Amino acid sequence: MLYHYRFGAVHLGLWGGAALVLGTGPAWAQKVEGQGADATVLVVGTRDKQALDTPNATGSRLGLTPLETPASIASVDGDTIRARGDLSIVEATTRAPGIASVANPGNGGTALSARGFSGQGSVLQLIDGVRLFPAAGTITFPTDPWMVERIDVLSGPASVLYGQGALGGAVNVVMRKPTAQTHGQAEIGYGAQDNVRAAAGIGGPLGETLGYRVDASYRRSDGYVDRGHSDSVALSGTLKWTPSPMFAVTVRGDHGDQRPIGYFGTPLIDGRLDLRVRDRNYNVGDGRMRFRDDRASVQIDWTPSAVISLSNIAYYLTSDRFWRNLETYCWVAASGSCAGGSTGTPGTIRRSSNYGIRHDQTQWGDQASVTWRTGLAPGIANALVVGGEANLVRFTHENDFGSDAQVDAVDPFVFDPGRFLDTQGIAPRYRTRTTALAVFAEDRVTLGAKWSVIGGFRYEENQVRRWAIAYPGGTRTDSFVFEKTFRNATWRAGVVYQPVPTLSLYAQYATGVDPLGTLTTVSTGQVAFSNARGHQVEAGAKWLFLGGRGSATLAAYRIVKTGLLAQRTLSSPVEQVGQRSAQGIEAAVSVDLPRGFGIDANGTVLDARFDDFRSSGVDYTGRTPPNVPETLGNLWLRWDASAKVQARAGLRYVGPRFSDNGNVFRIPGYATVDGTLSYTLSPRLALDLRVYNLFDKAYAVTAYGDQQWLLGRPRALDMGIRAAF
């Protein structure tokens, strides 16, 4: 299509410039080396960065620090992510308080759970503060942690900042940026399952007004199940022009190309996980997935005075996603039946659901804001930001859902995976056009050195138009189906009290909005209804202690979501009357101890339930919503044994969950232990030895169906070399 060609030209130009920058990198590195040996030394043994007193734009557009913000904000530093050995952005994000993975192949391997709500429609994902619009519940970019400067997690309703689809929270992936001095990093590693990774990046100045950053990463693995090959490439390039301290233009290009593992889960045998099939892959032999994403952005920041500042970012994103797999598997019991009511040959695995799908998605957007900072009276100051944004998303869904069904039975242990059956062909079946317009404002009044009051408001209109695509007589025909406009207003208000600069006590009330499914692919069955609405009450404390060597946070909250679709009886109409809620406590602590020891820990306990929900004549009131663990915890211990040796050990705990509304199918909780030992071979070279899942725990990350579990990686040993230059 024409827009693919236009972006291809832009993309080629960006990468041509990145290649030129990369080519000049070593000369600049040599120049910096001559200025001081510590400019590019790889340091092993520094403490994880504390962020409570550092401005963070994810929780507020006013550039407040977490101590000044009446909300829960957690940050995971990129250097820490890479030192721990996290293999994906999802894996790194779930180290934050209260976050769990519900990633599966259908949602792009990126979906999360937060504060009792899960999925792409409740936990929003952003890149550098700009929201991503999921299509059919799917987001596939970004995924590679090499590109990350840090990951911010804003827990609780974030709709007042970023719009619909954020009642559980928002995750902002902040990408690496140009630096004032030239620094380069590289790593290469090899591990179990033929896991190979290689990555490199460099950034710094190109003269007095121009800075750059380029990164490249490659990963491949044979996987931990049969036919489990996967590979990915990630590229990025950034140029930042700063002709004066008051004005900056940043141009960025990103590219991702993934071929994820074609694994849709392991079927339970007689209702339990049979370790004899732990490494079996029941997909067809020619199953395939591929996700390609390209993004370009231009950001302009102008601060004409200390009173006023302006910012504008425009972006363009294309996503091409493809699936062709046999996705559903169930064990046929002695009675001849299996999960879902289907039947088959006893003692076999019944395979079904031959789905071929392609997503063609294009997203444009622009976001602008202006900020005023003024004094109102002695000891009283005001900061106000006002802005707006516009987004356009075009999406085409291709599938082969009219194909003959592929159903067979295979031996659980030894079988021919066979080939994918498609008697129709994958072709466009419907398309949508979504426009999202919004205006927003946020204001903070400081009342002396200890008190501040913060409020925010957002109004947005989201219009979705849908066309059905048919092929009468072999000729494509697009038929208009419906147009729906959703109008939402959200707000929050909070107060912060700081008795001393390093301690803050806060409380806030916030509202949010979630779509009934996915905004860009709203269906004919949902178009008669409005978005679901919610609100949260939260109170907490944040504390920096030991001269900044320690930090602690504590938050208690209750979220209520109304407007669920419910059906009182089998014969009654569908109504938007249901309600669900979640209430809980989150805590985190990070401390640098004497003799090189350090600890990072967080934990969450919550109670999530349906307060009023009936579907198909079944009352689910009092049950726990699916894909929501009610206990979570992370613990990292660090020991800087010397200037050359560092050891890390990490414990991850995820409590039990359910895969269905009725809480019949329970997914057990699990705990895994990871570890890293690092040794510096020279001031610029370090060796890493990592072990994942030390005790080889067999566990389910999430479910793909009630009795089909997506298993986590078994025990694996990995060796790598990191370099700095």
Side-chain angles (χ1 to χ4, degrees), residues 289-309:
M289 286 189 288
R290 187 175 185 184
F291 309 143
R292 287 175 288 185
D293 299 89
D294 292 285
R295 185 177 185 270
S297 64
V298 179
Q299 180 170 341
I300 300 174
D301 296 292
W302 182 35
T303 307
S305 70
V307 174
I308 187 170
S309 61

Side-chain angles (χ1 to χ4, degrees), residues 529-599:
F529 304 98
S530 61
N531 288 327
R533 297 184 178 276
H535 63 268
Q536 174 188 260
V537 177
E538 177 180 350
K542 305 169 188 178
W543 183 29
L544 273 176
F545 55 93
L546 295 178
R549 291 183 292 111
S551 67
T553 61
L554 177 67
Y557 63 87
R558 174 173 170 80
I559 304 176
V560 176
K561 180 178 179 177
T562 60
L564 309 182
L565 297 186
Q567 189 177 26
R568 299 290 181 177
T569 67
L570 287 173
S571 59
S572 64
V574 175
E575 302 174 275
Q576 195 166 19
V577 296
Q579 176 178 303
R580 59 185 286 189
S581 65
Q583 55 190 5
I585 297 174
E586 296 171 350
V589 62
S590 178
V591 186
D592 284 334
L593 301 171
R595 300 184 182 276
F597 287 94
I599 181 171

